[in-house]
Amino acid sequence: MTVILRSEELTKIYETGEVSVVALRDASFEIEEGEFIVVLGPSGSGKSTLLNILGGMDRPTSGRLYYRDAPIHEATARQLTLYRRKAVGFVFQFYNLLPNLTASENIRLAAELVDKPLDVKDLLEDLALIEKADNFPAQLSGGQQQRIAIARAAVKNPDILLCDEPTGALDFATGLQVLKLLQLLNRKLGKTVMIITHNQAMAGIADRVFHLKDGRIETITVNAQPVDPEEIVW
Amino acid sequence: MVMLWRKLLRDLRENWGANLACVAVIALGIMTFNGYHMVVDNLDSARLRFYESCRFADGFASVKQMPASELSRLEAIDGIDQVQGHLRQDVTVYMPDWGQNLTLRLSAIDPEDTTALNQVLQSQGPGIHDESNEVLLGIGFAKAHDLQAGDSFDIIYQGKKQQLTIAGTGQSPEFIYLLPDSGSFFSDPARFDVAFMTTAALEDLTGHEGLVNEIAFTLRPGTDFHQIENQAAEILEPYGLTTLVAAKDQISNFMLDQEIAGVKTMSNAIPALFIGIAALILYLMLRRMVEQQRIQIGTLMAFGFGNLQIISHYSFYGGFIGVAGAAAGAIVGTLLSGAMTELYKMYFNLPDLVNQISWRYALYGLAFAAVPCLFAAFLGARNILRLEPAQAMQPPTPKRTRRLLIERIKILWEPLGMMGRMALRNLFRNPGRSFFTIIGTTFAFAMMWFIFSYNLMIDLMIMNQLEKAQKYDLKITLTQPADAQELVQSLLRMEGTDQAEPLMYAPVTLRQGPYAEETSITGVPDGSQLLKILDKGEQVIALPPEGLVLSKNLAGKLHTEVGQLIYVESPFRSEPTQVYVTAIVEQYFGMENFMSLEQLGQMLGTGEAATAAMVKTRGDPYTLDRLEEKLLLAKGVSGVENKAAIKKMYVDLMAPMNFAIYTMTLVGVFTAFAVIYSSGTVSLSERQREISSSKVLGMTDGEIMRMLVMENGVLTTLGILAGVPTTKAMMLYMQQQFATELYSLPTRLDPMGFVQSMLGIGAALALSMMAIMRRIRRLELSEVLKTRE
């Protein structure tokens, strides 16, 4: 297996006035292509900071991050933009669809960023959302919006999908659908998926689980037998 | 980036009200830009064509009279090429139906001479065939009196009536803009125009055979007017030289130049103001928009949209509005230039004045509007780029609300109530935007008050003079001085005369130290009932029994003050004499100096002589007309001035201004509306949550409205207050720009205009509050409170 992301002692310190807050401390790990990772931790444990740095949304205060040997920690703003464009797809807790673009337009917005996007119509069909294609986000349920958001992340055909509490705003059944979708993308298309959550129950579906506390990766556990989302309960 | 464009269009549509206001403000600016620039081009090119085809001269001189044979002496001056002299004579037109003074300037021409200077362009009729009574009449006069080729009318010259026949209409490059003299204010071709007749015919009419009083000449290439000025003046001086000017100072050309220069200045200044306002609106709008779309922007960044793509997206929002405004403005501007060109046809005798549409200005206008708008939007949006994408995804840190100074003053703060306090705090929450509302209101208010003060200005300059100072009905001027008492007696004997008083106009040179000015002194009888002296256009002051009342303008030039002795030189006296300055009066129109008639006579040694007289009639128009006619035909009378007719002339001339006042008021109200509404919309979007929460808590729409009105009321009141000195400054600037030897504009602000402008701002405030209220009513409470901010 190829290592897709390599993190060496990543540290992020926020300076606010005279107070400095260490949000992430010496995070070192490797993620292989096609892995399904769940990052677990209570709020304030540094999950989002880690995700943001891995996704090129924020810069580490110190430490090194490599995407397929490319040093992301040294990247210029322009290189970071290209990294986000080509390598990463984001899924957010509150979907963040652009409110005045329709479902399909939101997906096409992302598709226009890359040379070889997936087919928007195929994606909508796969997600069983074809009949909602022309609806605006406000006309969709939370689960539908999140599925569109996942399609929007996937359409660029990125190597890595980074998901920030993707089921956090959804009820159990809808959340389950979203997780199944992510697993499908992981298994069928070989995407590396990283989900951050405070929901312990989700640990079961991951290949590996990172446990974060106070900005530190306390342990990394390996699931020999990841389960299907249907088998977990929360 | 099709989708991003689609988002742009939908963003634009969502905020259509404020956008439309902004587009309209830009359109007003670009309309002026396009319209005025095209008008300038139209006037300029029509003038150039006319000057070239009719051979407009390079220099002009007027003398009292001079033998035509002397012209060759001018031709001999090195640098002068062609010289041409002719006779010119003002005559009174006798049209009893009009019951007023009409003057024609008869100008001699040689219709056969194709090399002549200032040729007349004939536009109607068979033309002159050397018949002694045939004229080519000015188009304006012909039109105003509905005269056609073949028609005849009477003129009065030296008390004799004569008939002239119209052989057509004509225009000369010398008379594009017609003014009776350099002291006149407006062209009015119905009452003063030119007519052309052959030299032989005019010589016959006036008896001035072989004489000329108007000279035109051309200069050889490379010669400057100033090089020949002194030599020419030397030759002409003995013949009573009155003016010697280069083409650029020739009165008609000068007036046209002034007009073109004025329009040119406006053509850039006005658009700059409007586009400045629009740019400010856009800046505020975009600043708010990126705050509002912060998460969206973060999302775009997360997906790999670059900074350039994002900033362009928001800058284009401004650019799009700029382009839309410029396009609308270009279309309306073309219409405006058409309308203005038509209007100028009424005032300027330019045969080939046509509206030429120039796409060049549409393009310049596009750049003029789009670039600042694009830039303003860029400035408004650029803050968001300072954030790392991860920060952009987070809601902004709440702004620190500091306690206001007034909050510490309990006596003021406590009675404000919750709503008043919220209103006041909001004003300080975004001082930049509050400031913008104030400035916008100031501008709109000043624009309105400035234009509303026009009526007072005209009152002070003209109407008060006619109503408060000149209490007579008719004023006659004599061909030569006469005994004052005899003159009054003979006037009183005429039927219809109620009162008569003599006047003496004495040409003098006043000297004080090294300063000297040629002017005239008006001798007024002590305790005159028919002529009062006005100071500052409205205060009647008594004529001092002793000494000289000097106009402020002249006093300034002579560096003199009340109580000083100055020298008076007069053709009536060989020795200069001295007189005390006893009063100085400020006059806006004309420069008149007064003395007691008796004293003036004593000083000049003329006794009680008079060169003019004022007559008050018993009042009915019939008697007045009869008397006027009798006086016109009386021997020794060179002119009769009918005050009512003059007043009517001014009233007629002012009429188009009412339309301008009306238009400017609308523009002012609209500008204020656009400013208050757009900053109100921005403020509303910022406070949707707060307002929705208040509604949920049970605050009524009316109560919310009251808070908003209170806020904006405070801002507009401040704007109005700042508008007072701004209007004054605008008036002072205008006074400085337009002051001439003969008039200066009063800068008094009209209190009535203040009230009117305030009402205008009030209307704008009410309209914008109503529009904002509509948005508040439509706020979806649940939606607003659900969204994350």
Side-chain angles (χ1 to χ4, degrees), chain B residues 413-442:
Chain B
W413 186 246
E414 295 291 342
L416 276 177
M418 216 51 218
M419 253 184 296
R421 291 177 202 175
M422 269 165 91
L424 215 61
R425 278 204 187 122
N426 280 324
L427 295 184
F428 289 95
R429 171 144 68 180
N430 197 327
R433 195 168 54 232
S434 298
F435 186 62
F436 165 72
T437 309
I438 294 172
I439 301 221
T441 315
T442 299

Side-chain angles (χ1 to χ4, degrees), chain B residues 238-314:
Chain B
Y239 301 106
L241 176 67
T242 52
T243 54
L244 173 62
V245 291
K248 74 170 175 53
D249 292 322
Q250 191 259 352
I251 185 160
S252 148
N253 187 49
F254 178 77
M255 293 303 288
L256 186 51
D257 256 350
Q258 291 277 300
E259 185 65 30
I260 291 176
V263 178
K264 220 179 224 170
T265 312
M266 299 293 201
S267 69
N268 290 322
I270 294 179
L273 266 174
F274 279 107
I275 286 168
I277 289 183
L280 266 171
I281 294 180
L282 279 171
Y283 171 75
L284 293 174
M285 241 156 60
L286 266 294
R287 236 177 64 165
R288 171 58 196 157
M289 187 184 269
V290 294
E291 270 172 33
Q292 214 173 5
Q293 299 194 354
R294 186 182 165 114
I295 307 266
Q296 291 188 44
I297 293 167
T299 309
L300 290 175
M301 286 172 164
F303 274 86
F305 280 91
N307 281 355
L308 188 67
Q309 281 169 312
I310 291 169
I311 195 71
S312 308
H313 173 71
Y314 288 100

Side-chain angles (χ1 to χ4, degrees), chain B residues 521-534:
Chain B
I521 297 175
T522 307
V524 183
D526 292 325
S528 170
Q529 295 296 305
L530 300 184
L531 185 67
K532 308 284 181 191
I533 299 168
L534 285 189

Side-chain angles (χ1 to χ4, degrees), chain A residues 10-15 20-27 44-50 53 58 61 212-217:
Chain A
L10 280 182
T11 298
K12 179 72 182 180
I13 300 168
Y14 289 109
E15 308 273 354
S20 48
V21 179
V22 185
L24 190 66
R25 205 188 295 263
D26 298 329
S45 60
K47 303 185 301 281
S48 292
T49 305
L50 177 64
I53 293 174
D58 209 350
T61 312
L212 251 75
K213 201 179 165 193
D214 295 334
R216 261 182 218 285
I217 301 182

Side-chain angles (χ1 to χ4, degrees), chain A residues 92 94-107 109-110 135-138 140 145 148-149 152, chain B residues 3-8 10-11 14 293-301 303 305 313-314:
Chain A
F92 306 98
F94 294 102
Y95 339 123
N96 294 350
L97 297 176
L98 300 202
N100 57 13
L101 292 182
T102 63
S104 71
E105 285 168 349
N106 262 290
I107 302 173
L109 175 77
N135 287 21
F136 284 95
L140 298 172
Q145 286 194 57
I148 295 293
R152 181 177 63 174
Chain B
M3 291 306 127
L4 223 44
W5 282 106
R6 210 170 275 186
K7 170 181 179 299
L8 176 67
R10 291 195 186 139
D11 282 343
E14 219 157 85
Q293 299 194 354
R294 186 182 165 114
I295 307 266
Q296 291 188 44
I297 293 167
T299 309
L300 290 175
M301 286 172 164
F303 274 86
F305 280 91
H313 173 71
Y314 288 100

